Amino acid sequence: MERAHLVHLYTQMLLIRRFEERTAEMYALGKIGGFCHLCIGEEAVAVGAVDALRPDDYVFSAYRDHGHCLARGSDPKRVMAELFGRVTGLCKGKGGSMHLVDAERRFMGGYAIVGGHLPLAAGVAFAVKYRGGDQVVLCFFGEGAVPSGACHETLNLAALWGLPVLFLCENNRYGMGTPVERAVALYSDVAQNAAAYGIEAGRVDGMDVLAVRDAVGKAVEQVRTRQRPYFLEAVTYRFLGHSMADPAHGHYRTKAEVDEAKKRDPVLLLRTRMLSERLATEADIKRIEQEVAQIVREAVEFADASPVPPVTALEEDVYTS
Amino acid sequence: MKATYREALNQALREEMRRDDRVFLIGEDVAYYQGAFKVSKGFLEEFGSRRVVDTPITELGFTGLAIGAAMAGLRPVVEVMTFNFAILAMDQIVNNAAKIRYMSGGQLSVPIVIRGPGSAAHQLAAQHSQSLEAWFCHVPGLKVVAPATPHDAKGLIKSAIRDENPVIFIEAQLLYPMQGEIGDGDYTIPLGVAEVKRPGTDVTLIAYSKMLLVALEAAEKLAQEGIQAEVVDPRTLRPLDLTTLAASAKKTGKVVVVEEGWPFAGLGAQIAESLYRQVFDYLDGPIVRVTGRDAPMPYARDLEDAAIPDADQVVAAAHQVLYRT
């Protein structure tokens, strides 16, 4: 991979990391409300996967969607403004943290009923096939969605009808506080669930952005050319709590386990690699850090200075006239 | 031209599919079997399996898939074999179809029609006989249509397909064989417009879907007593054409609302409340509701008959609002 590409991936991951850290601060200050799920620790999956797509491909996400949206190139100002509930937000303040949508970038949204967006992703793929297009639909979801009926019905339909969807399961081990082995019968390799429907499946280290980029690149190519779904499990870990409402480890996992996982921090892994392979200097890393800090600072300033939606907007966008 | 309700739907869907390649029909047994109630007779032959799509028995999955297809610009018509099975797709309908436009701040829309028979047929028992329109009418973002005649079914399904919003289109198994006069060719009936089905001056009977036929039968009986009942069919339940309903209520001052569904939080309660807000001062007395009974639908024929409103109950309700006992 070329140096510039690596720098781009690193910058994207760092942007998501710093954006999420500032989001936590803004949440603590009461600028952001509601349920808010941060993806710190899972940046490599978002960045590596989205990097393998074309601009005309589609992306679906669940409620932990900030990273996916930023990776797709959405303006951090408008993402932060959405979290602030401001009229300048991507969805004019009506969606919030869990429902980011950027239709222009074919980021089809974050959905907050676990498993409920998988059929939608298959439906967009159905439309692609119906029209004879060659776009791919990338659908992110957590391992918590794997045992849901929505997931199994969708896998069956996608396999049955040869739909161009890449099901990307972000296995961060926990569905809120319940570990995968207490939720999924075939937990040691959740991709086996897809195999039951004749869907080709693979597994990748979700902390290694280059491995993710490579695996998703191959999977996307296969989906596009063969017009068949693919199921990829990215093994990752969430460094913070399930949402802003709970601590990093709580009762369901130990601090030691979290600390152990942090040794494979995806941002640090790539940084170390770039430095050791002399693909970047300390000065480069420092410059990127400053650039990202500037973007995030401006995003917060933009959000904070933006007006709240007028009350007259409340009943707008319910129906298309 | 005469046609049955089933034929009217068949014609309308066929014409819309010929008119617009984005329109496709998806559901259980719609293609090879030609529809559980034969609404899609001949479709597979004419349009092929690309546009007439048989699904496995997975309402959540195929309804959600169709919603996704609509988000990407197609215009799916989902046939639910009966609306009882739409309960399995309720999360997709309520949380996705109805809300995606709003949550995205207007960036995405979901032009989908979900159609099939609702209400009771003959002795199908509790899980296959229920009127769920109130569930759907409760949700902002959805439109709900329940036509009673072949003419209305044809004109309204066309408008539903051309609408940019998700439309729940409730038919009735017992209406499919009913014959009636329908308009020629490509006509549409706008959503949200009620129709006076029988003019009258003494009492207003509001009824939709199968209950329109019951109300018309009651009006005939009332006429024999010299009472001129006006029968109004909202046709679209959301948005409700309150203007037409209120005009009739104002004229007669006496209102009976007939619905097949359960009484508690039923649609008649909403219609009555809306009318009270608009025309309370014009009413001679309280609005009377005739509803299905407050129990799951029993299998036994006698019990089932007793559970569903009939013309005599509507006549009795009319007597009540007219203070004739």
Side-chain angles (χ1 to χ4, degrees):
Chain A
M1 191 176 283
E2 286 187 13
R3 185 181 170 283
H5 196 171
L6 276 178
V7 168
H8 169 71
L9 296 181
Y10 178 73
T11 307
Q12 288 275 83
M13 283 207 291
L14 193 69
L15 171 64
I16 295 170
R17 174 68 56 92
R18 298 293 176 251
F19 185 95
E20 294 289 65
E21 287 167 354
R22 284 308 293 282
T23 297
E25 290 172 28
M26 293 301 113
Y27 194 90
L29 290 175
K31 297 278 187 185
I32 298 170
F35 290 134
C36 186
H37 310 81
L38 305 181
C39 69
I40 289 177
E42 306 181 35
E43 297 91 341
V45 185
V47 171
V50 172
D51 190 61
L53 298 180
R54 296 194 320 218
D56 64 339
D57 289 332
Y58 296 87
V59 181
F60 276 87
S61 177
Y63 49 81
R64 197 179 304 284
D65 57 352
H66 309 170
H68 302 140
C69 189
L70 291 169
R72 190 55 171 161
S74 295
D75 183 352
K77 289 178 180 163
R78 299 198 59 205
V79 179
M80 189 61 86
E82 187 62 30
L83 304 189
F84 272 53
R86 303 301 168 95
V87 75
T88 53
L90 281 176
C91 307
K92 302 191 277 194
K94 285 177 173 167
S97 165
M98 300 189 284
H99 307 299
L100 299 172
V101 174
D102 192 346
E104 205 179 301
R105 288 176 179 75
R106 297 199 164 177
F107 185 76
M108 304 301 279
Y111 295 88
I113 303 296
V114 172
H117 65 298
L118 274 75
L120 303 180
V124 171
F126 179 95
V128 167
K129 188 166 180 145
Y130 189 92
R131 293 194 177 106
D134 72 340
Q135 293 83 9
V136 168
V137 182
L138 170 62
C139 182
F140 289 104
F141 54 100
E143 90 293 335
V146 169
S148 74
C151 179
H152 285 269
E153 292 191 17
T154 304
L155 293 178
N156 182 58
L157 289 172
L160 194 64
W161 295 341
L163 302 179
V165 196
L166 171 55
F167 296 103
L168 210 171
C169 175
E170 298 175 299
N171 183 354
N172 68 10
R173 273 198 46 71
Y174 294 94
M176 211 159 112
T178 303
V180 62
E181 60 268 22
R182 289 204 285 120
V184 181
L186 290 169
Y187 66 89
S188 63
D189 183 352
V190 297
Q192 283 182 58
N193 286 272
Y197 298 100
I199 295 176
E200 204 174 323
R203 194 178 213 198
V204 66
D205 175 4
M207 301 314 242
D208 180 346
V209 70
L210 300 183
V212 173
R213 173 65 180 79
D214 186 53
V216 174
K218 285 175 183 153
V220 164
E221 192 52 31
Q222 195 168 316
V223 170
R224 206 185 302 284
T225 53
R226 292 191 201 163
Q227 291 286 296
R228 296 279 306 159
Y230 191 95
F231 188 110
L232 185 65
E233 176 190 0
V235 182
T236 181
Y237 199 85
R238 135 167 87 65
F239 291 172
L240 298 180
H242 165 72
S243 76
M244 289 306 297
D246 63 349
H249 47 89
H251 294 293
Y252 62 92
R253 62 183 189 184
T254 61
K255 184 169 183 300
E257 182 188 307
V258 178
D259 289 343
E260 186 61 28
K262 282 184 175 173
K263 289 180 184 164
R264 299 201 66 245
D265 180 324
V267 178
L268 294 183
L269 280 184
L270 183 60
R271 181 188 301 172
T272 306
R273 186 165 176 171
M274 287 167 70
L275 288 170
S276 68
E277 294 180 13
R278 300 186 186 287
L279 293 163
T281 63
E282 289 287 356
D284 293 331
I285 296 296
K286 198 173 171 189
R287 179 180 48 75
I288 295 168
E289 187 75 59
Q290 284 168 347
E291 278 171 22
V292 164
Q294 173 77 8
I295 293 169
V296 174
R297 187 164 52 242
E298 284 172 8
V300 170
E301 285 167 4
F302 174 81
D304 210 20
S306 292
V308 296
V311 176
T312 50
L314 194 151
E315 290 181 350
E316 288 170 6
D317 301 319
V318 178
Y319 292 98
T320 310
S321 49
Chain B
M1 178 169 70
K2 278 207 179 296
T4 62
Y5 191 97
R6 182 194 334 269
E7 288 161 352
L9 286 168
N10 179 289
Q11 278 180 27
L13 289 164
R14 195 187 288 272
E15 286 167 18
E16 289 306 294
M17 286 178 73
R18 284 178 186 158
R19 180 179 170 270
D20 185 349
D21 183 67
R22 296 172 303 169
V23 180
F24 68 99
L25 181 66
I26 181 168
E28 290 155 9
D29 279 321
V30 296
Y32 287 87
Y33 194 92
Q34 312 199 84
F37 300 102
K38 299 288 177 279
V39 169
S40 53
K41 194 176 172 191
F43 277 35
L44 180 62
E45 200 182 358
E46 177 168 353
F47 300 107
S49 57
R50 172 174 169 266
R51 299 182 64 200
V52 189
V53 185
D54 274 338
T55 68
I57 307 166
T58 55
E59 283 78 10
L60 184 173
F62 69 74
T63 305
L65 181 143
I67 293 165
M71 291 165 72
L74 298 185
R75 304 188 87 87
V77 177
V78 176
E79 177 171 306
V80 285
M81 194 180 284
T82 79
F83 262 98
N84 305 287
F85 311 154
I87 296 173
L88 287 157
M90 217 55 187
D91 172 55
Q92 292 298 323
I93 296 168
V94 175
N95 276 317
N96 289 336
K99 294 176 185 166
I100 279 171
R101 178 169 176 80
Y102 193 78
M103 294 193 301
S104 68
Q107 294 178 77
L108 301 170
S109 57
V110 184
I112 192 173
V113 176
I114 298 169
R115 53 153 288 272
S119 73
H122 289 308
Q123 291 192 277
L124 303 183
Q127 294 185 340
H128 281 71
S129 319
Q130 51 200 331
S131 300
L132 301 174
E133 59 271 17
W135 290 28
F136 298 106
C137 283
H138 191 58
V139 183
L142 299 180
K143 293 186 178 181
V144 183
V145 184
T149 69
H151 179 79
D152 288 351
K154 182 170 179 184
L156 287 165
I157 191 81
K158 283 179 171 250
S159 292
I161 290 169
R162 296 179 198 183
D163 201 278
E164 295 300 324
N165 300 285
V167 181
I168 305 299
F169 194 92
I170 302 173
E171 302 156 11
Q173 199 180 318
L174 297 183
L175 289 175
Y176 289 135
M178 296 290 197
Q179 212 173 46
E181 201 62 40
I182 65 168
D184 287 333
D186 182 29
Y187 70 92
T188 60
I189 296 171
L191 304 188
V193 179
E195 189 175 66
V196 175
K197 296 292 187 184
R198 176 184 173 121
T201 47
D202 301 331
V203 57
T204 297
L205 308 179
I206 297 171
Y208 56 90
S209 190
K210 229 164 64 196
M211 289 300 111
L212 174 70
L213 309 185
V214 171
L216 287 170
E217 190 189 336
E220 197 56 46
K221 289 187 174 195
L222 289 164
Q224 287 163 18
E225 304 172 20
I227 297 166
Q228 301 309 319
E230 176 150 291
V231 181
V232 188
D233 180 358
R235 303 192 292 193
T236 300
L237 307 179
R238 185 183 181 118
L240 191 64
D241 177 6
L242 204 52
T243 310
T244 303
L245 301 188
S248 180
K250 227 163 147 176
K251 183 170 76 177
T252 65
K254 302 162 193 74
V255 180
V256 172
V257 187
V258 192
E259 67 194 298
E260 189 176 325
W262 294 306
F264 194 86
L267 203 71
Q270 180 59 56
I271 292 173
E273 193 267 356
S274 299
L275 286 175
Y276 282 138
R277 284 177 182 275
Q278 289 235 336
V279 298
F280 186 82
D281 290 343
Y282 297 87
L283 297 177
D284 298 331
I287 295 170
V288 171
R289 291 172 63 203
V290 179
T291 72
R293 295 283 287 274
D294 202 13
M297 189 61 73
Y299 162 74
R301 174 170 272 179
D302 290 359
L303 292 180
E304 184 186 58
D305 286 346
I308 300 167
D310 61 18
D312 289 340
Q313 285 172 268
V314 178
V315 167
H319 286 162
Q320 194 183 332
V321 293
L322 287 156
Y323 299 103
R324 295 190 191 187
T325 45

